[in-house]
Amino acid sequence: MGSYVLGLEEIDQAQVAVVGGKGAHLGELSRIDGVRVPPGFCVTTDAFRRMVEDAPSIDDRLDRLSRVNPDDRDAIRAVSAEIRRTLEEVAVPDEVAVAVTGAVARLGERTACAIRSSATAEDLPGASFAGQQDTYLNVAGAAAILRHVSRCWASLFTERAVAYRLRNGFDHRQVQMAVVVQQMVFPHAAGVLFTADPVTSNRKVASVEATFGLGEALVSGLVNADSYEVRDDEVVAKSVAHKEFEVCASPAGGTRERAIEPERRDRPTLTDPQVVRLVRLGRRIEAHFGRPQDIEWCLVDDEFQVVQSRPITTLFPIPEAGDGENHVYVSVGHQQMMTDAMKPLGLSLWQLTTPRPMAEAGGRLFVDVTGILASPARRAGFLDVVGKSDPLMGDALRTVLGRDGFIPSVPDDGPGEPIPGVAPATIETDAAVVAELVGRSEASIAAVKRDIRTKSGSELLDFVLADLQELKKILFDPRSHQVIMAAMQTTWWLNEHLHEWLGEKNAADTLSQSVPDNVTSEMGLALLDVADVIRPYPDVVAFLRDVEDDGFLDRLDGLAGGREARDAIVAYLDKYGMRCVGEIDVTRPRWSERPTTLLPMLLSNIRNFEPGAAERRFQQGRKEAWDKEQELLERLRALPGGERKAEETKRMIDRVRTFIGYREYPKYGMVSRYAVYKQALLDEAVRLVRAGVLREKEDIFYLRFQELQEVVRTNRVDDEVIRRRKEAFRSDEALKPPRVLTSDGEAVVGAYRRDDLPTGALVGLPVSAGTVEGRARVILDVAEADLEPEDILVTAHTDPSWSPLFVAIAGLVTEVGGLMTHGAVIAREYGLPAVVGVEGATRLIRDGQRIRVNGTDGYIEILSPDGDHRVGFPRHSPGTR
């Protein structure tokens, strides 16, 4: 048929560049035994390019479009409309028209056709682009088909398609448009089949939606659909919708709505045997493509025809086990307060750092806890610890255990592997223990900095690999673990006993304010000290407000006070510059690499605080902790057996204040070491770039550590591997990892089992006591934080890089977190009411709304219906601040 037209039977899935994603999938579908696809052809991207040659000024408009902000809807609408008009006004080139007309004649001159756009960036594994371009139904005659082909070409630049490409990083010039022309199907019923449950992601549950007439009514949301769930060839759930009308073909062309006869409105669209047969067909298609599919189908004369199949791009991948057994995985990212995707070098270095094997999926790490859950002796303690630290994770695990047979119990042959956090921590309350642990780590880091300078090539990679063993010894020193567990268990003891004896809720929160040796809270206060140095110099402050590049430190010396400011910032970076958002991923840019990241927080401190704020803040927290301690001890002594209770409580208070600050240190030591490794590895990458091995130094981030060793050894790299890894990382970034994932692919969602909340309240885990009202600031990027005094920070998750913000806020709400994760520890240190683990907080709370955060009982109330940046400052309940 020539380069402008290809029959579906000539096409396979390798021809996306020629016929687009939809065309390639349809061609491949037509090759699967037992799958019926309506006959047709594709107008190829060669035809599209031939048409664009005749389009005036298209290049200028594409240049303008590439510069548009993805959030500027008005600009997108205006420029995309111009491009569409330009393309629609271009006549179909004669040679293209001849090829299309010939293909139409082979189908039958008056055959009604469905005409669908098929972009080259459509129905891809990482981006479906579903619904972004246009479809036309029931079109007959060569002239009409040519007109609609032209409209499909133009639909490459609909507002929604352009916005989707901008958000997903697709170059408009690299995306081409083909058009699928198929014989029209006039079905009794139609709908969509997902071969994996689109809600839970369970790969063993298929979901079917069906309605009478054409499926376009369902896809576009015009009608309610019957829904069916199928597992193991059995319909396990069914819901029959009331159906008022159906969409059918119009005699004049196109489609129309038609009222459904009353006796059919509540009748199931499909019988159960038909649903099972459809799912079996879907499984065959899924097996062919090797991943779950979103399939559009039609039922004609009791026979299913497939009019589209695309990968489901929203499913979270399943870790590879390879044994065919059931597995349960828990997210490492939710425990580390970093749920973003990690690059391969970061993933592999983290895995080399930890003693426990980890599963990998979607650019995230998971721990397989199947063995623990299967062991009666180990299960209860594990669930108790998990439930206290992250109730949503604990509830999700209990949900899995409640399913008969998914995780069968196995006999306990012996003590088995110890469960972190279950065994009691036996260690004396002695500040010298913390000092010794910190001193050993600092000395070790200093040695690494000294010794790594002389290493390069394979010797450098071998040195890092060997030093990781030293890092593991420090991180997993039994005494270090005992200190952390002593702090956690003492916190639980205080909260439980003081609630039992005195009715006090979460008393340990106030008692652990302003403790010594908390390197992360000290980091936030230290930035207040930097602000004190800079505040007296207005020229420096004005300069910092306009900084746009990371070389600004070298330009400070010419300003009054510039040298003092530079020295203060450099000193801060010398101690904390290894930190950054997502710091467990070594590939993330550190503050020392991008010091501009600190400027919004630094300028906020300059604007909102008076000199000496850091010391005052610390002393205020220490006084509140001391006052709370004296109050509690006095009340305890008044109880029966009070002297004994007060003595025991005093011992526990001393213990928690001695040890709780150390909780933040091991990660600080680890990322300090990571920063040393990273700089040395990037220096090596520069050598590889100069040698022509790598295209850019950051390419090493897309190699696992062991692969990088081989590249350094051989001076050879597979560029295609790096390209695929970059593409996979972009896809992984869009995924939301679950707390708990099963080998069925199900993202198991936990819940808070509480019924004592105010109406409409958002529930979470209380991690820092007190109640505060104020303006919600929904912030997803710490670099864009613009906080006024006493705002309430609402975000997805925080890690230590967010700590400098905590000195300026009145309360904290996060979607991810537990009792001992970073945000909780620092909130208690600073005395901020905080609730974490609030599902959907950044979506349910709007920026600027006035909210009340109850950090004692664990809920948030929305006090104003709309966001308003002018709402008043917060009001604290007595005694909370």
Side-chain angles (χ1 to χ4, degrees):
M1 292 186 181
S3 61
Y4 295 136
V5 170
L6 289 174
L8 290 182
E9 70 279 0
E10 301 177 80
I11 297 168
D12 61 32
Q13 59 184 336
Q15 293 172 277
V16 172
V18 178
V19 295
K22 188 173 295 179
H25 274 242
L26 280 168
E28 191 69 26
L29 280 167
S30 67
R31 296 166 176 262
I32 305 174
D33 289 341
V35 177
R36 288 202 58 188
V37 176
F41 60 90
C42 282
V43 184
T44 67
T45 54
D46 288 338
F48 175 77
R49 282 190 290 270
R50 174 64 188 86
M51 179 273 300
V52 169
E53 291 174 4
D54 295 341
S57 306
I58 192 73
D59 281 342
D60 292 342
R61 289 182 171 89
L62 288 175
D63 286 340
R64 286 170 54 199
L65 197 59
S66 67
R67 295 191 294 269
V68 170
N69 186 307
D71 297 321
D72 190 343
R73 299 297 297 272
D74 291 338
I76 292 173
R77 185 180 301 114
V79 181
S80 61
E82 286 181 30
I83 295 175
R84 285 199 310 279
R85 283 195 298 271
T86 298
L87 295 179
E88 287 176 356
E89 290 169 359
V90 174
V92 177
D94 289 344
E95 58 270 41
V96 174
V98 168
V100 172
T101 301
V104 170
R106 284 184 283 277
L107 276 181
E109 184 62 37
R110 299 308 303 168
T111 297
C113 292
I115 302 172
R116 293 183 170 91
S117 50
S118 178
T120 53
E122 183 177 357
D123 294 350
L124 302 178
S128 75
F129 280 79
Q132 300 305 312
Q133 283 88 38
D134 288 348
T135 291
Y136 301 96
L137 301 179
N138 198 24
V139 179
I145 288 172
L146 282 169
R147 284 197 305 273
H148 287 85
V149 166
S150 184
R151 290 176 185 173
C152 283
W153 284 336
S155 76
L156 186 62
F157 294 96
T158 60
E159 180 184 343
R160 62 184 183 273
V162 167
Y164 192 96
R165 288 198 294 274
L166 286 169
R167 285 195 302 270
N168 286 276
F170 284 85
D171 184 343
H172 299 296
R173 294 180 184 276
Q174 299 302 315
V175 181
Q176 307 290 317
M177 178 65 85
V179 181
V180 175
V181 180
Q182 282 180 284
Q183 182 177 310
M184 184 71 187
V185 175
F186 301 99
H188 159 72
V192 179
L193 160 64
F194 297 95
T195 63
D197 190 316
V199 176
T200 68
S201 299
N202 193 324
R203 278 25 172 222
K204 293 188 176 179
V205 175
S207 176
V208 175
E209 293 186 345
T211 190
F212 293 125
L214 292 168
E216 265 58 30
L218 173 59
V219 173
S220 60
L222 293 176
V223 298
N224 293 324
D226 296 348
S227 61
Y228 308 81
E229 288 186 3
V230 176
R231 183 178 184 127
D232 298 331
D233 280 349
E234 179 183 355
V235 177
V236 295
K238 176 168 59 177
S239 175
V240 178
H242 180 73
K243 299 172 279 292
E244 292 280 349
F245 62 88
E246 62 185 335
V247 174
C248 59
S250 170
T255 62
R256 64 184 178 90
E257 294 179 10
R258 180 173 65 191
I260 294 175
E261 301 88 338
E263 63 272 16
R264 283 205 303 144
R265 291 177 181 174
D266 296 304
R267 185 181 301 169
T269 307
L270 300 175
T271 66
D272 285 7
Q274 286 175 324
V275 172
V276 170
R277 182 154 50 93
L278 173 61
V279 170
R280 287 175 181 167
L281 179 65
R283 293 292 183 210
R284 187 178 303 167
I285 294 170
E286 177 186 67
H288 182 86
F289 286 111
R291 60 182 301 163
Q293 296 288 299
D294 166 2
I295 299 166
E296 294 177 30
W297 55 268
C298 296
L299 180 64
V300 183
D301 297 328
D302 197 37
E303 186 169 45
F304 289 104
Q305 297 196 34
V306 177
V307 295
Q308 186 51 269
S309 183
R310 61 177 66 89
I312 305 175
T313 59
T314 57
L315 299 177
F316 199 84
I318 306 172
E320 293 184 11
D323 58 6
E325 300 293 329
N326 290 340
H327 290 267
V328 181
Y329 305 94
V330 296
S331 166
V332 172
H334 283 80
Q335 300 162 54
Q336 293 294 328
M337 298 291 278
M338 211 293 275
T339 58
D340 297 342
M342 296 171 67
K343 296 185 179 75
L345 184 62
L347 286 167
S348 61
L349 198 64
W350 179 257
Q351 288 170 296
L352 289 168
T353 304
T354 58
R356 177 183 287 273
M358 291 188 181
E360 191 176 321
R364 280 81 168 184
L365 293 171
F366 294 84
V367 175
D368 187 340
V369 296
T370 312
I372 296 174
L373 296 178
S375 164
R378 305 166 70 206
R379 180 192 308 145
F382 175 69
L383 289 175
D384 181 58
V385 171
V386 173
K388 285 177 178 176
S389 62
D390 188 336
L392 291 177
M393 185 176 287
D395 187 70
L397 290 172
R398 287 185 171 89
T399 297
V400 175
L401 283 168
R403 296 174 179 167
D404 290 343
F406 191 83
I407 300 294
S409 292
V410 297
D412 289 305
D413 297 328
E417 182 184 347
I419 307 303
V422 174
T426 55
I427 189 170
E428 291 299 319
T429 303
D430 184 357
V433 175
V434 173
E436 183 181 345
L437 289 169
V438 171
R440 177 190 169 191
S441 176
E442 290 181 347
S444 181
I445 292 167
V448 172
K449 288 180 178 178
R450 181 190 67 238
D451 296 342
I452 204 169
R453 293 173 187 160
T454 61
K455 306 295 188 291
S456 64
S458 292
E459 187 183 14
L460 169 64
L461 277 293
D462 292 342
F463 175 85
V464 171
L465 193 59
D467 190 70
L468 282 167
Q469 301 307 308
E470 177 64 18
L471 172 57
K472 287 167 74 170
K473 290 178 184 176
I474 293 172
L475 282 177
F476 303 103
D477 184 323
R479 290 185 308 159
S480 178
H481 175 72
Q482 287 173 339
V483 167
I484 293 170
M485 287 314 306
M488 291 175 62
Q489 291 170 357
T490 306
T491 297
W492 297 338
W493 189 97
L494 286 166
N495 285 338
E496 290 169 3
H497 284 77
L498 292 175
H499 185 259
E500 177 188 347
W501 292 337
L502 299 175
E504 283 278 340
K505 290 184 178 179
N506 302 327
D509 296 354
T510 303
L511 295 169
S512 57
Q513 289 186 60
S514 295
V515 297
D517 302 312
N518 189 322
V519 68
T520 306
S521 64
E522 290 168 2
M523 177 175 68
L525 297 175
L527 198 63
L528 286 172
D529 292 335
V530 176
D532 286 353
V533 173
I534 296 173
R535 191 179 293 107
Y537 303 109
D539 289 350
V540 174
V541 175
F543 170 79
L544 294 178
R545 287 196 190 107
D546 296 329
V547 162
E548 294 183 356
D549 66 277
D550 290 304
F552 70 92
L553 289 171
D554 294 333
R555 302 198 299 275
L556 280 169
D557 287 354
L559 300 173
R563 184 175 295 276
E564 291 85 347
R566 183 183 184 281
D567 289 348
I569 295 172
V570 168
Y572 186 86
L573 291 173
D574 284 345
K575 187 165 185 180
Y576 302 112
M578 79 295 291
R579 313 222 80 155
C580 67
V581 173
E583 62 189 9
I584 66 171
D585 181 355
V586 73
T587 72
R588 292 290 192 100
R590 312 282 132 176
W591 287 347
S592 57
E593 297 172 84
R594 292 187 185 170
T596 49
T597 307
L598 287 172
L599 293 184
M601 295 181 281
L602 180 57
L603 290 167
S604 175
N605 289 348
I606 292 170
R607 182 176 68 246
N608 295 325
F609 291 93
E610 297 294 326
E615 180 63 18
R616 285 195 303 275
R617 184 68 174 264
F618 185 80
Q619 294 301 335
Q620 176 189 347
R622 188 157 67 174
K623 182 178 185 303
E624 289 180 4
W626 168 259
D627 290 346
K628 189 67 175 178
E629 176 182 333
Q630 300 311 303
E631 175 213 327
L632 292 170
L633 294 177
E634 183 177 348
R635 290 167 62 192
L636 285 170
R637 292 188 184 104
L639 299 176
E643 286 299 330
R644 178 187 57 79
K645 291 174 181 175
E647 182 181 337
E648 192 173 6
T649 299
K650 171 61 175 169
R651 188 167 65 252
M652 291 298 184
I653 292 173
D654 290 345
R655 169 168 285 211
V656 81
R657 290 193 62 80
T658 300
F659 288 153
I660 195 69
Y662 178 75
R663 169 68 179 80
E664 290 290 299
Y665 189 83
K667 181 181 281 189
Y668 172 81
M670 183 191 74
V671 298
S672 296
R673 228 176 183 96
Y674 273 14
V676 177
Y677 299 160
K678 180 181 184 181
Q679 187 54 58
L681 293 174
L682 282 174
D683 290 344
E684 186 65 22
V686 170
R687 182 192 70 77
L688 293 170
V689 171
R690 289 174 180 162
V693 178
L694 297 177
R695 296 183 180 181
E696 53 188 17
K697 63 180 181 179
E698 289 80 9
D699 283 351
I700 66 168
F701 297 160
Y702 297 93
L703 298 169
R704 304 184 74 83
F705 187 86
Q706 298 85 344
E707 294 170 337
L708 180 57
Q709 280 187 296
E710 187 66 11
V711 169
V712 169
R713 186 183 67 81
T714 63
N715 272 347
R716 294 173 59 188
V717 71
D718 187 338
D719 290 330
E720 180 60 19
V721 167
I722 292 175
R723 187 197 66 77
R724 288 199 307 269
R725 298 265 179 86
K726 289 180 178 180
E727 186 177 288
F729 178 73
R730 285 194 296 269
S731 298
D732 291 341
E733 282 186 299
L735 298 173
K736 181 180 178 180
R739 280 177 166 83
V740 174
L741 180 68
T742 74
S743 49
D744 288 349
E746 181 181 4
V748 186
V749 178
Y752 295 100
R753 309 295 178 180
R754 296 174 55 184
D755 55 8
D756 58 342
L757 302 175
T759 302
L762 306 178
V763 64
L765 176 66
V767 295
S768 186
T771 301
V772 64
E773 294 180 14
R775 179 180 67 165
R777 293 309 316 274
V778 181
I779 296 172
L780 300 180
D781 184 349
V782 69
E784 297 177 1
D786 181 17
L787 293 164
E788 295 297 328
E790 307 290 304
D791 283 340
I792 296 172
L793 174 62
V794 180
T795 190
H797 50 77
T798 66
D799 63 10
S801 69
W802 290 71
S803 296
L805 284 181
F806 282 32
V807 299
I809 61 175
L812 174 69
V813 178
T814 68
E815 295 179 336
V816 175
L819 276 173
M820 296 304 294
T821 48
H822 159 264
V825 171
I826 304 305
R828 292 193 290 271
E829 170 82 6
Y830 288 163
L832 304 174
V835 181
V836 303
V838 183
E839 284 284 279
T842 59
R843 174 176 50 85
L844 297 171
I845 300 172
R846 289 197 291 275
D847 189 63
Q849 283 183 319
R850 190 172 183 82
I851 64 174
R852 180 185 297 125
V853 176
N854 188 320
T856 304
D857 293 319
Y859 62 85
I860 298 96
E861 295 174 277
I862 298 176
L863 305 178
S864 64
D866 299 310
D868 183 356
H869 290 278
R870 296 166 296 176
V871 295
F873 291 148
R875 181 175 70 254
H876 298 278
S877 63
T880 61
R881 288 291 299 274

